[in-house]
Amino acid sequence: MNLSLVYFAIGLTFVVLQATVLHLASWTPIIPDLTLVLCVYLALNRPRVDAVWTTFLLGYAIDMLSSPQPGVNAMAFSAVFLVVYLAFRYVWAKGPLISAITVFVAVWLKVGALIAISPLFELSAGNWMVVGDAVLREAIFSACIAPPLFLMLRSIQNRMETVKKPPSLANASS
Amino acid sequence: MAAARTGKTADSPRSSPQPDQSRPSRVRQVWFVALTVLRRYRMPIHATCALALAFYVVTVSSAAPQKGDPVTRVLAQSVKPIQKSLHALGSTIRNIQINFVAFKDLWNENQALKEQIAALEAERNRLFEAKLANDRLTELLEIRTRILRESVAATVISNSASTWFRTITVDKGAGSGIHRGMAVITPRGVVGRVVSVADDTAKVLLLTDHKSGIDIITQRTRVRGIVSGSVDGEPIVKYMGRNDDIRPGDRLITSGLDGTFPKGLLVGTIMEIADDGPGLFRRVRVSLAVDPLVMEEVLFISDKPRPSYSSAPQPDSQAAPSATP
């Protein structure tokens, strides 16, 4: 539970970063979705109920900060979590490339869910190319940033779980 | 688990039928199975619940956008301070960004304007130089049309490299019709004469050189003399008698008697007269009309008349307006 709170705090930090600093760092209006990377990480590496609701709340936080319609990001994030949990956690290969590919697919899933849910995305045929280009760039940015972020999150998780272990267990494992 | 196990033994077909006990045990069994399923599939179930909740929020907020869904209302109230803080933080960062971008734009604009100013300054300087050259050449052309002899304009390309010889070199030579002994003037007055000629260059001995000499008369009283240079660089007038009517400020013009310079060209003005020396003549210092160090274009005057005027020569004195007071 403590770890979930930590992840939730990290997620909120990511939301703030996305709303502020990343706009400065990025040379295009497209910014990498750090929060989604975190949700993918949770779905892959922490398949627990609190991770589900952490994902939901993070999506909802994005809704409250930036979405004109509450719930769409929460739903999209939950859908991404569900799909990644059901599909990608059975991919036994692990590594930076796999995480990047997973995040790349997750961004497309998220935008697909958003388009499916929100009436804001009632686009004419000509705009699909623009949307596709934007999604591609966001997916590439997010995929590029995913491996180091996964490393960071995993190190946090390892540290927290080591702290949680009783001394006898820690000694036994070492 | 214990209850379920108990129920299972109670439902055994071998045991005697007990309708009162079989119903609770079946309920327990169903409950056990349900719990097992729930426990086993709790992740997808929770995720589906989250999806459903999100869908509910979307639906409610779409149906009554002015009110919002109850979850949103409650959460919005609770996170309002955080949201305000984040918004303030975001606004601050955005303002910093805007100011930074504005500063960067201003800096770039400043650099561009500086470069533009430098370019314009260079252009202005070039145009000013062109205007000055144009003025000088116009003056030269004007005097060239007034002088009734053949003339060639040239540009000074170097000054003397020695302290003891005061000469200049020009960019035209024998190929342009320049020959030794030609008079050299500017619109302001006499410069000197040609002492050596190459194909493309010519060397002019200036009036300030101690070997030079030019026959002059004072414009006011028509007293004759010879203007010559000196080693110290201050030209003097030789052969002016003690009884000659001269005074400082008198203008000296070419006499035209040496056959080189046309009559009436301004040479300089008397600066100082010294009567204290021995001998028949006074020592007269002259301020030359032309400063040889600032010349850029000069005019070479031949001793031959211009073809158009050769049939009806006119007095050279009319050709030197610069000598008129």
Side-chain angles (χ1 to χ4, degrees), chain B residues 236-254:
Chain B
I236 54 171
V237 184
K238 294 176 181 174
Y239 313 122
M240 287 233 161
R242 292 185 181 274
N243 297 323
D244 289 340
D245 181 13
I246 54 171
R247 61 190 180 203
D250 277 352
R251 296 160 70 90
L252 308 175
I253 59 172
T254 51

Side-chain angles (χ1 to χ4, degrees), chain B residues 232 234-237 269-273 283-287:
Chain B
D232 61 1
E234 291 185 354
I236 54 171
V237 184
T269 54
I270 294 175
M271 196 167 63
E272 184 187 351
I273 302 168
R283 183 177 175 82
V284 179
R285 288 186 177 275
V286 178
S287 170

Side-chain angles (χ1 to χ4, degrees), chain A residues 16 19-21 23-24 47-49 52-53 56-57 60 64-65 69-72 74-75 78-79 81-82 85-86 117, chain B residues 42-44 46-51 53-55 57-58 61-62 69 71-72 75-76 79 83 86 89-90 93-94 97:
Chain A
V16 175
T20 53
V21 182
H23 282 287
L24 298 176
R48 289 173 58 164
V49 175
V52 175
W53 293 106
F56 174 83
L57 288 175
Y60 205 82
M64 282 193 294
L65 270 181
Q69 189 172 11
V72 286
M75 193 164 174
S78 300
F81 185 95
L82 185 62
Y85 171 77
L86 290 177
I117 299 159
Chain B
R42 65 186 184 282
M43 282 295 300
H46 276 277
T48 311
C49 288
L51 269 173
L53 181 61
F55 186 73
V57 171
V58 172
S61 63
S62 300
D69 65 294
V71 182
T72 303
L75 282 176
V79 300
Q83 203 171 358
L86 290 179
L89 178 66
I93 291 174
R94 270 191 210 102
Q97 180 193 16

Side-chain angles (χ1 to χ4, degrees), chain B residues 63-325:
Chain B
Q66 69 280 3
K67 289 182 181 175
D69 65 294
V71 182
T72 303
R73 282 203 296 270
V74 172
L75 282 176
Q77 286 298 323
S78 57
V79 300
K80 195 174 177 183
I82 301 170
Q83 203 171 358
K84 281 176 77 174
S85 306
L86 290 179
H87 182 71
L89 178 66
S91 299
T92 308
I93 291 174
R94 270 191 210 102
N95 285 336
I96 290 170
Q97 180 193 16
I98 288 166
N99 289 334
F100 177 73
V101 169
F103 174 77
K104 199 176 168 188
D105 287 348
L106 279 176
W107 192 83
N108 288 337
E109 192 179 352
N110 190 25
Q111 290 300 314
L113 286 174
K114 276 183 181 172
E115 285 174 10
Q116 199 174 354
I117 285 171
L120 287 173
E121 190 67 29
E123 179 71 11
R124 190 182 79 92
N125 192 46
R126 194 183 64 77
L127 290 174
F128 188 64
E129 279 297 310
K131 180 186 175 300
L132 289 178
N134 188 37
D135 290 347
R136 288 196 306 268
L137 291 171
T138 304
E139 277 184 319
L140 210 59
L141 188 63
E142 193 177 338
I143 196 168
R144 190 179 175 184
T145 55
R146 287 181 186 176
I147 290 175
L148 306 177
R149 297 187 187 183
E150 287 182 354
S151 57
V152 177
T155 302
V156 178
I157 56 174
S158 77
N159 285 312
S160 173
S162 168
T163 311
W164 307 105
F165 304 100
R166 299 179 190 276
T167 58
I168 56 170
T169 307
V170 297
D171 65 344
K172 284 185 181 168
S176 302
I178 293 172
H179 55 83
R180 198 168 188 271
M182 278 181 92
V184 183
I185 66 169
T186 71
R188 292 181 180 176
V190 175
V191 173
R193 73 181 73 203
V194 177
V195 289
S196 68
V197 181
D199 285 342
D200 295 327
T201 60
K203 194 173 288 177
V204 177
L205 188 70
L206 298 174
L207 271 182
T208 50
D209 190 273
H210 65 280
K211 284 186 180 175
S212 71
I214 179 172
D215 199 298
I216 55 99
I217 56 173
T218 60
Q219 195 173 42
R220 186 175 62 85
T221 57
R222 318 308 271 186
V223 176
R224 285 189 66 191
I226 301 289
V227 170
S228 174
S230 62
V231 176
D232 61 1
E234 291 185 354
I236 54 171
V237 184
K238 294 176 181 174
Y239 313 122
M240 287 233 161
R242 292 185 181 274
N243 297 323
D244 289 340
D245 181 13
I246 54 171
R247 61 190 180 203
D250 277 352
R251 296 160 70 90
L252 308 175
I253 59 172
T254 51
S255 66
L257 296 175
D258 56 5
T260 303
F261 291 93
K263 188 178 179 182
L265 296 175
L266 182 64
V267 176
T269 54
I270 294 175
M271 196 167 63
E272 184 187 351
I273 302 168
D275 288 328
D276 51 350
L280 297 173
F281 305 106
R282 287 188 283 188
R283 183 177 175 82
V284 179
R285 288 186 177 275
V286 178
S287 170
L288 292 178
V290 178
D291 183 357
L293 293 177
V294 296
M295 287 184 307
E296 291 184 53
E297 292 90 17
V298 292
L299 196 64
F300 290 84
I301 302 169
S302 169
D303 52 355
K304 297 174 189 171
R306 272 196 294 181
S308 56
Y309 293 95
S310 59
S311 56
Q314 293 181 11
D316 281 351
S317 57
Q318 293 177 3
S322 60
T324 54

